[in-house]
Amino acid sequence: MATVNDPRRGTGDAEQGPAAAATDLHAFAIALRRMNGEINRLVHAFAGDHGLHATDVQALAAILDADAPMTPKRLREHLGLTSGAVTACVDRLERAGHVRRVRESADRRVVHLYYAADARSAARTYFRPLAEATEAARSRFTGEELAVVLRFLAAMNEELGTGADRHR
């Protein structure tokens, strides 16, 4: 059986034409790896410029994207880290001025993590090239096409999340 990296491997789509070849698994794998690499390059540069680890930047994104106030426990579960590693991460982020810890008034044991306003502005500036590239790429597609792309990305995130749960 030929593997993805086997040069003898055919796409399996040659007889179906160029449209099918453009959507085969290998083409998706290449495009996703390349995009992931470019985003990782930006993340590592941001982390280095701010004295952070790449995991710290992942934590910042999780805090920013959370649909409810993030807690250290939820952050630990999201990142798949130990509680000690999350504490060290949050300590670094707080010292660097990127997040603030807020104790819940009703139960002082509950801590919520918030992205600091000044840090959000700095991140927005740093990641502006990513936003501009995203907007330039979006402008090449119709609303209907973008809806399909978003559905695909949501499905990928769902599948990857399910897969990560199986490995924990």
Side-chain angles (χ1 to χ4, degrees):
M1 173 182 224
T3 65
V4 171
N5 293 323
D6 188 338
R8 295 168 294 154
R9 174 195 162 274
T11 63
D13 294 324
E15 55 280 337
Q16 296 177 11
T23 60
D24 91 326
L25 182 58
H26 189 236
F28 271 87
I30 291 169
L32 288 169
R33 276 194 303 272
R34 183 172 176 206
M35 184 174 66
N36 186 56
E38 292 300 321
I39 291 172
N40 279 340
R41 184 180 52 78
L42 286 170
V43 165
H44 285 274
F46 178 83
D49 287 354
H50 289 87
L52 303 173
H53 299 285
T55 303
D56 299 343
V57 181
Q58 289 179 315
L60 283 173
I63 293 166
L64 180 65
D65 295 342
D67 53 359
M70 183 62 76
T71 64
K73 179 183 178 187
R74 285 183 53 221
L75 187 59
R76 178 181 58 79
E77 292 167 351
H78 178 79
L79 296 175
L81 299 175
T82 65
S83 59
V86 166
T87 298
C89 172
V90 172
D91 286 346
R92 280 190 303 274
L93 291 171
E94 190 174 42
R95 273 193 311 273
H98 289 281
V99 299
R100 56 190 177 85
R101 288 177 169 117
V102 176
R103 297 217 177 266
E104 179 63 40
S105 61
D107 183 349
R108 302 285 297 154
R109 295 172 296 174
V110 176
V111 174
H112 290 155
L113 305 172
Y114 294 96
Y115 209 120
D118 291 346
R120 187 181 301 228
S121 172
R124 221 180 257 129
T125 299
Y126 199 93
F127 287 100
R128 183 166 285 124
L130 178 59
E132 290 169 351
T134 302
E135 188 53 37
R138 284 181 65 233
S139 72
R140 299 181 199 168
F141 297 89
T142 66
E144 293 80 18
E145 289 171 323
L146 290 171
V148 172
V149 170
L150 282 174
R151 277 195 354 257
F152 171 77
L153 292 172
M156 281 293 298
N157 286 327
E158 181 182 322
E159 291 294 329
L160 290 170
T162 302
D165 290 343
R166 284 190 295 252
H167 290 63
R168 287 186 188 159

